[in-house]
Amino acid sequence: MTVQDDSNDFSLLGHKPALYVLFFTEMWERFSYYGMRAIFVLFLTSTFAEGGWEWSNERALALLGTYTSLVYVTPVIGGWIADKFTGYQKAVALGALVMTLGHGAMALETETTLYIGVGLLIIGNGLFKPNITSIVSGLYEKFPERKDGAFTIFYMGVNSGGFIGVLLCGFLGENLSWAWGFGLAGIFMLLGMLQFWFGRSIFGEVGVEPSKKVDLSDAIENKTEEVEEKVPAHVQRDRYIVVGILAFFVVFFWASFEQASGSMTIFANKFTQRVLSGGSASIFKIVDTLITIVPLGVITWVLLKLFAQTFKKISLSNIVLGISFLSVWAIALWKLSVILPQETTEIPASWFLILNSLFIITLAPLFSKVWESKYNPSATVKFGLGMILLGVGFGMLAWGSASIPQGAKTASVSLVWLVVAYLLHTMGELCLSPVGLSYVSKLVPAKKIGLMFGLWYLAIAIGNKLAGFVGSYIDVIVNKYSMSAFFLIFTIVPVTVGVILILITSKMKKMMHGVH
């Protein structure tokens, strides 16, 4: 039996073994992305004594906003390059290599190499991100009924990688040196690239050659071929307007939500009580141990299942993957060996960023069940609820920071406020983020999907840039008003937008003309 035929068997947990090769490749890419992002602002704004560069919050957050916005723009170009010139497989490997060089450049810790590193990460992401998704789609092209399940598993790799990356890169960055944190992100990106390249035979012919037909939609999202219904012009016009309205409002969501790696990380670092002792320290040690060991244990179980089925076929890929996981376990156990014996525990400021991935993994099945039930609300209600939950999360931070004096540079607010905020923000994300692309695909004709997804991601890019821009005024607002006033901005705007969306639901439903 050939490798291609064998990969067509749904023999690994109900799916193709090839899917799990992509799962782990995506996991290492997200490990590097979120791991680096977790310490980016902390490194730039830390004092020279702490190994940082003492940049102003304004300057650091402006650069973060530029970076996080451009990673949503370049995939359109990267998908086009793969379609026309390289094929998906080479684009993914090249993108991973470019990102590896980017992380390596950042680890050198000079201003020139920082900008070179950020630029390489943006370019590499553009080549990697859309095309690994296209390979997943290609593997299931003849099995459309299994595609949703395949993407669900694939996106668990996204959250797993983000979770582990923040956990380990954050700890190394804050406890050894920032260069170790950036370097670790690069090492695992390199290992992810090697694991993918050595295992590419398992994908058969999927993504080997450029597509004969260049389709911009491949750059962003994948779709199955279907007969396009004929829609009257006035109906399609109304549906375009709905997409435009939703895209406009989604800017406000990401402008607030993406404070996580910016102003919320600064708040965690400078204004949150992170030094715990006694019972509080013991509780944190138990929680941190469980959220370190349990997810790694589950992923390792999947890894061993993959080894059992594919080791003979892609042995070198599996050896690289095994080395990667042994390294992760070694770093994780070393982290626990440092934390557990201490009487007092200082939580890394970056640690709070793992909460988003943790809550997504925990809550996504529940939200999925609700969306499949009779209680499934319309698109605008979901969007509105997402906005309101996001705003209420910031309201918790505004409430919690009310005791911080005007102009204060440090404080010791309870960490509970941040935990609750991340919980509410994640619930808001689950209401809005997965739903957006789904409704775009339903509301526009097939031949326009690529363009519309491009516009949708442009809206997200604008939101990310706006997040950096508004967040950069944290010092100005805290000095002139208060920290509470700063977070109230991100309370009032999303809640107002959410209420508006819910109020126009009936009008939007009519303009959708039967799309649910």
Side-chain angles (χ1 to χ4, degrees):
M1 185 177 283
T2 66
V3 170
Q4 185 177 0
D5 290 337
D6 202 32
S7 70
N8 285 333
D9 293 336
F10 297 92
S11 53
L12 183 53
L13 304 175
H15 281 278
K16 297 184 179 185
L19 174 66
Y20 292 90
V21 175
L22 297 171
F23 169 98
F24 284 110
T25 305
E26 175 71 7
M27 193 182 82
W28 296 130
E29 189 275 328
R30 291 292 89 181
F31 178 106
S32 69
Y33 175 77
Y34 285 107
M36 182 282 287
R37 216 177 72 162
I39 59 175
F40 187 71
V41 170
L42 292 172
F43 159 64
L44 293 175
T45 58
S46 292
T47 64
F48 293 126
E50 295 169 325
W53 286 1
E54 291 192 10
W55 278 23
S56 67
N57 291 332
E58 180 181 3
R59 187 181 180 190
L61 292 175
L63 180 57
L64 176 69
T66 299
Y67 167 59
T68 56
S69 63
L70 288 177
V71 295
Y72 282 97
V73 175
T74 52
V76 178
I77 303 169
W80 177 80
I81 289 171
D83 268 331
K84 192 166 180 64
F85 301 109
T86 64
Y88 302 141
Q89 292 187 20
K90 289 177 184 175
V92 168
L94 181 60
L97 177 61
V98 172
M99 285 189 283
T100 299
L101 296 173
H103 288 297
M106 292 185 72
L108 297 175
E109 292 189 9
T110 71
E111 190 161 333
T112 300
T113 57
L114 172 75
Y115 287 113
I116 291 172
V118 169
L120 290 172
L121 289 174
I122 292 166
I123 294 167
N125 178 83
L127 288 166
F128 182 99
K129 198 67 182 165
N131 296 310
I132 192 169
T133 310
S134 294
I135 296 174
V136 176
S137 183
L139 287 172
Y140 285 79
E141 198 61 48
K142 295 179 181 177
F143 309 96
E145 73 282 357
R146 291 179 179 263
K147 192 174 282 191
D148 285 352
F151 274 103
T152 300
I153 291 171
F154 179 72
Y155 285 118
M156 288 300 286
V158 171
N159 291 297
S160 300
F163 180 84
I164 302 169
V166 172
L167 200 68
L168 301 187
C169 292
F171 186 81
L172 261 66
E174 294 188 63
N175 287 274
L176 285 182
S177 74
W178 303 112
W180 270 101
F182 292 130
L184 188 69
I187 289 167
F188 281 105
M189 188 68 263
L190 176 63
L191 290 170
M193 181 200 72
L194 293 174
Q195 173 236 324
F196 171 82
W197 190 248
F198 293 143
R200 69 189 187 282
S201 62
I202 202 170
F203 308 128
E205 296 302 313
V206 175
V208 173
E209 299 295 334
S211 302
K212 293 180 181 178
K213 179 182 71 174
V214 177
D215 186 346
L216 191 61
S217 66
D218 285 337
I220 305 158
E221 189 75 4
N222 298 283
K223 62 184 190 298
T224 55
E225 293 293 327
E226 56 186 39
V227 178
E228 188 177 337
E229 63 169 328
K230 291 186 177 180
V231 178
H234 73 283
V235 171
Q236 193 55 64
R237 182 201 62 209
D238 286 351
R239 289 176 177 174
Y240 281 138
I241 292 171
V242 170
V243 171
I245 291 170
L246 293 178
F248 173 75
F249 284 124
V250 89
V251 170
F252 295 98
F253 180 86
W254 293 109
S256 300
F257 184 86
E258 287 299 339
Q259 297 303 314
S261 52
S263 63
M264 287 175 69
T265 296
I266 291 170
F267 180 76
N269 189 36
K270 300 291 186 183
F271 298 93
T272 300
Q273 174 57 36
R274 295 184 290 110
V275 178
L276 306 178
S277 59
S280 298
S282 298
I283 291 170
F284 174 76
K285 288 175 186 177
I286 293 169
V287 170
D288 192 51
T289 301
L290 288 173
I291 64 176
T292 300
I293 298 297
V294 173
L296 276 180
V298 172
I299 298 167
T300 303
W301 174 74
V302 176
L303 178 81
L304 294 174
K305 291 276 190 183
L306 179 66
F307 281 2
Q309 291 203 16
T310 64
F311 202 89
K312 290 181 180 179
K313 306 180 190 73
I314 50 170
S315 55
L316 197 51
S317 174
N318 282 336
I319 288 169
V320 172
L321 187 54
I323 291 170
S324 303
F325 255 83
L326 287 173
S327 303
V328 164
W329 271 109
I331 297 167
L333 293 174
W334 170 73
K335 176 181 84 76
L336 293 176
S337 74
V338 172
I339 292 173
L340 294 178
Q342 298 175 353
E343 289 186 16
T344 60
T345 299
E346 182 172 0
I347 305 172
S350 59
W351 182 89
F352 294 94
L353 287 166
I354 70 171
L355 295 173
N356 178 240
S357 293
L358 185 65
F359 289 141
I360 282 179
I361 293 167
T362 306
L363 296 173
L366 174 62
F367 276 75
S368 179
K369 288 290 183 185
V370 174
W371 300 158
E372 293 169 5
S373 72
K374 63 180 180 180
Y375 300 107
N376 182 26
S378 66
T380 48
V381 172
K382 287 175 185 170
F383 267 60
L385 288 174
M387 292 284 187
I388 291 169
L389 286 166
L390 178 68
V392 173
F394 279 107
M396 294 295 103
L397 291 177
W399 187 5
S401 60
S403 60
I404 299 175
Q406 179 182 347
K409 301 299 181 186
T410 59
S412 296
V413 173
S414 170
L415 61 83
V416 171
W417 298 108
L418 265 176
V419 174
V420 173
Y422 274 110
L423 173 61
L424 289 165
H425 289 183
T426 304
M427 292 170 68
E429 181 186 7
L430 287 168
C431 285
L432 183 143
S433 186
V435 172
L437 291 174
S438 174
Y439 275 97
V440 172
S441 66
K442 294 174 184 177
L443 288 165
V444 302
K447 63 183 179 181
K448 298 288 187 182
I449 283 180
L451 177 62
M452 286 297 125
F453 277 136
L455 292 174
W456 188 263
Y457 277 104
L458 179 61
I460 298 175
I462 293 169
N464 274 265
K465 182 58 183 173
L466 196 58
F469 175 75
V470 179
S472 69
Y473 283 88
I474 182 171
D475 291 336
V476 174
I477 294 170
V478 169
N479 289 332
K480 192 171 182 180
Y481 301 101
S482 67
M483 179 63 74
S484 188
F486 175 78
F487 286 127
L488 275 173
I489 295 170
F490 300 103
T491 303
I492 294 167
V493 173
V495 169
T496 302
V497 169
V499 171
I500 291 170
L501 277 165
I502 291 172
L503 290 175
I504 63 173
T505 294
S506 59
K507 178 64 175 175
M508 294 279 276
K509 273 185 176 180
K510 289 178 183 176
M511 294 176 71
M512 288 184 187
H513 295 280
V515 171
H516 299 291

